[in-house]
Amino acid sequence: METNDVVKAMAALAQASRLEIFRALVVAGTEGMTPSALSDALGVAANTLSFHLKELTNAGLVAQERSGRHPPYPAQFARVNALVGCL
């Protein structure tokens, strides 16, 4: 993993709400969670959640599945493992 990618991922996780969202997605496993499920579980407003999910997606830590009306966001475990390997 390139140094810039590591910095980008760590910067995305260096915010309390994003870290909480990321932890919930890791616990959810490979199936991920839909934005509405995340919002309900964490008590985060939909527009705020959308912003944080975009940041986590841009950092490569989560992905948006393109299926159905309410696609889940799974954590990208291969990317997370690569990040941990760089620390």
Side-chain angles (χ1 to χ4, degrees):
M1 187 174 223
E2 297 290 324
T3 301
N4 288 341
D5 294 332
V6 173
V7 170
K8 190 174 187 179
M10 295 300 288
L13 294 174
Q15 200 280 340
S17 295
R18 281 195 290 274
L19 181 58
E20 185 178 12
I21 293 164
F22 180 70
R23 284 179 173 161
L25 292 173
V26 168
V27 170
T30 57
E31 292 184 18
M33 293 177 76
T34 63
S36 60
L38 276 167
S39 181
D40 291 344
L42 302 175
V44 178
N47 61 338
T48 302
L49 180 64
S50 176
F51 170 77
H52 291 309
L53 286 170
K54 183 182 88 170
E55 291 298 313
L56 291 168
T57 300
N58 287 340
L61 296 171
V62 303
Q64 181 182 18
E65 298 291 323
R66 298 283 182 184
S67 62
R69 189 171 185 176
H70 302 285
Y73 283 80
Q76 297 299 290
F77 290 100
R79 179 93 168 176
V80 172
N81 288 336
L83 176 63
V84 171
C86 290
L87 302 179

